[in-house]
Amino acid sequence: CSYCINHFEEGVIHRPMITGAQWVRALNRIVSRDDLPITLQGGEPSLHPDFYHILNNVKRDLNIDILTNLQFDVEEFMRRVEPGRIKRSSPYASIRVSYHPETMDLAALVPKILRMLERGYSVGIWAVSHPSYEKAILEAQKKCQGLGIDFRLKDFLGEWQGRLYGTYRYEGACDKKFKQSVLCRTTELLMDSAGSVFRCHADL
């Protein structure tokens, strides 16, 4: 999408990719709380060639969340991954679908989500409330909520038509034009496709 935060910063960074077997070995070493899941996201996590191997081989006491555009074959997904593998007690869906009206067709997306809900999967939609798509997103939200689909909004972070949107603790930090010591730290273990660990989403 034109408003992707990766474009706002330095563009999409291409990194190597470790295998599904390597991911499973690494993730299965993690000891976590019930309310703290492993979140597979991207980019698009389903593009990993071992996506299903990872989902089905991470140890059962680790909860898994997925952030996805759901542009894959959901029938194959439902054949290969049971609903309980990606379902936990939380205030939001375990499979969160990113809806981008610039690049996605809501009419094609809604039946997929309804089908998954019917089969017992925990799935909902999230959309970035970009000013240029506000009307389309609010219409999509109203339609989905009328069908019983959880549809939530996320604030747009970035610049549009000369105005900076979002709340930033350190103004200009996303531009990566300067360095300074800061008083923030992540509460997450951030890992990229190569298995490297990062201190900050901005570095990732």
Side-chain angles (χ1 to χ4, degrees):
C1 298
S2 61
Y3 55 83
C4 179
I5 195 167
N6 291 311
H7 299 310
F8 174 60
E9 295 176 356
E10 292 184 336
V12 177
I13 299 169
H14 297 281
R15 294 192 169 103
M17 188 184 308
I18 63 174
T19 67
Q22 289 172 308
W23 270 120
V24 168
R25 190 163 64 248
L27 295 175
N28 282 344
R29 294 173 61 197
I30 294 174
V31 177
S32 186
R33 306 187 315 251
D34 288 343
D35 62 340
L36 188 64
I38 291 170
T39 302
L40 304 180
Q41 59 184 358
E44 172 51 44
S46 66
L47 292 177
H48 193 289
D50 301 324
F51 178 60
Y52 293 111
H53 176 80
I54 296 167
L55 290 177
N56 288 316
N57 287 280
V58 168
K59 61 186 180 181
R60 285 289 170 152
D61 60 337
L62 290 175
N63 287 308
I64 297 175
D65 277 4
I66 301 175
L67 301 184
T68 175
N69 59 26
L70 211 67
Q71 301 302 291
F72 53 81
D73 182 345
V74 297
E75 295 298 329
E76 180 186 9
F77 180 89
M78 292 187 292
R79 279 195 306 273
R80 299 180 70 172
V81 182
E82 60 166 328
R85 172 65 279 209
I86 309 167
K87 191 173 187 179
R88 66 189 181 95
S89 178
S90 69
Y92 50 81
S94 296
I95 302 172
R96 296 186 295 288
V97 180
S98 297
Y99 173 61
H100 306 283
E102 183 179 306
T103 59
M104 295 170 69
D105 178 13
L106 186 69
L109 179 63
V110 165
K112 287 183 170 185
I113 292 177
L114 291 174
R115 177 86 172 112
M116 294 183 78
L117 287 171
E118 179 185 285
R119 291 280 301 276
Y121 292 86
S122 172
V123 57
I125 300 178
W126 291 71
V128 175
S129 54
H130 191 276
S132 64
Y133 292 99
E134 185 176 18
K135 182 180 178 184
I137 288 171
L138 290 176
E139 287 175 353
Q141 183 183 42
K142 183 177 179 181
K143 177 177 181 178
C144 289
Q145 288 177 338
L147 294 168
I149 298 172
D150 183 23
F151 191 119
R152 304 188 188 201
L153 302 178
K154 293 176 71 174
D155 291 338
F156 167 62
L157 302 176
E159 188 174 339
W160 186 71
Q161 294 187 343
R163 178 181 164 191
L164 185 65
Y165 289 80
T167 302
Y168 300 87
R169 187 174 184 96
Y170 299 99
E171 190 173 339
C174 288
D175 294 330
K176 296 186 179 180
K177 293 178 181 173
F178 63 88
K179 291 184 178 181
Q180 72 180 59
S181 294
V182 296
L183 298 174
C184 63
R185 64 181 181 186
T186 183
T187 58
E188 302 165 324
L189 178 64
L190 303 171
M191 301 165 66
D192 72 356
S193 60
S196 299
V197 177
F198 293 80
R199 295 178 300 175
C200 177
H201 276 282
D203 296 334
L204 174 60

